[in-house]
Amino acid sequence: MSEPVLSVGVLISGSGSNLQALIDRIADGSVPARIALVISNRADAFGLQRARLAGIPTRVIDHREFPDRVSFDRTMIAALQESGVELVCLAGFMRVLTADFIRAFEGRLLNIHPALLPAFPGLHVQQRAIDAGARFSGATVHFVTEEVDAGPIVIQAVVPILDHDDAQTLAARILKQEHRIYPLAVLWFAQGRLQIVRQRVQIRETIEAPDAYLLNPSAPDTY
Ligand code: GAR
């Protein structure tokens, strides 16, 4: 018998490359899910074209047409509930969500952020990581709580920050890893392997590597 298929809603504001990564991993059978609805707060988001090309229903819900965040979020909640989504993925969705929204999908709301949280929440995070002189940055998939860019972490990918990096080159390096880890987090959710215990995510049947480490710059074994 095949695994039951998880119904997912995806919220975007822009390019939608993370949405595409999820579409691709679903299409090749890696992730047992279907995307029931893509919502964008911007009519010109390229991600809408990606969704339409994949035959996924889309809605544009423009935040500027609502008097406040609460009414905007209520409209999104209703649309997602009507579509029967069991998991909501924020994928480059650049609006702060209300407590109403977060409570409506508590424990089934994921976000991806292009930094190693809890370092560098917020905006312009690649430039801020470079300016801080950090040797590594990366991407974080986490459950969403009421604090912005915070919440129990599912998976992180680490990438080096190189001497010649600017915000664009670093963002591209991070994005490549985002496309690997977000579908994986959705797979684990679909398999029911994620459990939040005291603000930490426990993932059943994963392999830990206690001796794993990264150095940047790399160093010889003896020196
Ligand atoms: C991604 O880098 C994502 O991590 C980031 O926006 C980009 C969206 O790219 N999200 C945030 O900064 C949220 N705080 P995409 O539209 O190509 O998936």
Side-chain angles (χ1 to χ4, degrees), residues 80-150:
L80 290 161
Q81 286 174 343
E82 275 161 31
S83 300
V85 309
E86 299 158 281
L87 171 71
V88 177
C89 291
L90 308 179
F93 184 68
M94 302 310 274
R95 303 293 305 167
V96 172
L97 294 166
T98 58
D100 271 4
F101 188 99
I102 292 163
R103 280 188 215 123
F105 297 102
E106 198 179 351
R108 46 201 194 99
L109 178 56
L110 291 175
N111 180 43
I112 188 152
H113 181 77
L116 293 175
L117 293 174
F120 306 113
L123 297 174
H124 312 299
V125 295
Q126 295 89 353
Q127 190 60 53
R128 283 164 50 212
I130 292 169
D131 292 347
R135 290 286 180 186
F136 289 103
S137 187
T140 303
V141 178
H142 64 99
F143 283 99
V144 175
T145 55
E146 287 181 35
E147 197 184 329
V148 175
D149 294 327

Side-chain angles (χ1 to χ4, degrees), residues 14-19 50 91-94 111-114 122 126 149 175 178-179:
S15 158
S17 69
N18 278 289
L19 166 67
R50 298 179 191 268
F93 184 68
M94 302 310 274
N111 180 43
I112 188 152
H113 181 77
Q126 295 89 353
D149 294 327
L175 203 55
E178 293 186 39
H179 299 160

